[in-house]
Amino acid sequence: MMKRQKRDRQNRAHTRGYQAGISGRSKEHCPYQIDAIKSQWLGGWREAIEAKQQGLFQ
C-alpha cells in the first residue's frame, strides 16, 4: 500500500510539472522540496518544454 501512495504522489507531481511547462511557467516555480518528488515535477516540466519546442502546443 505504501508504495502505491508514493507512486501516486510522484505521478501527480509529474503531471503538475507537465501542466506548468505547457502553461509557460518557469521551472523555478516547482512547489516541491523532497528531491524524489521534485525530480518528477521537473521531468514533467522538461517533457512539456520539449513538446512545445516540437510544435505540439502553442
Side-chain angles (χ1 to χ4, degrees):
M1 184 69 172
M2 195 64 173
K3 287 187 178 191
R4 183 173 185 189
Q5 288 176 342
K6 186 175 183 182
R7 188 168 51 244
D8 289 347
R9 190 175 303 134
Q10 290 180 349
N11 191 8
R12 190 166 49 246
H14 184 273
T15 300
R16 288 182 177 161
Y18 191 90
Q19 291 169 343
I22 291 300
S23 65
R25 294 180 67 197
S26 165
K27 67 180 177 182
E28 280 73 33
H29 284 100
C30 178
Y32 299 100
Q33 305 299 319
I34 300 169
D35 286 342
I37 298 174
K38 186 173 186 174
S39 70
Q40 289 294 319
W41 190 94
L42 290 170
W45 182 86
R46 262 186 244 100
E47 283 182 28
I49 296 304
E50 290 173 12
K52 285 181 76 170
Q53 288 174 346
Q54 294 172 1
L56 298 176
F57 297 95
Q58 298 297 331

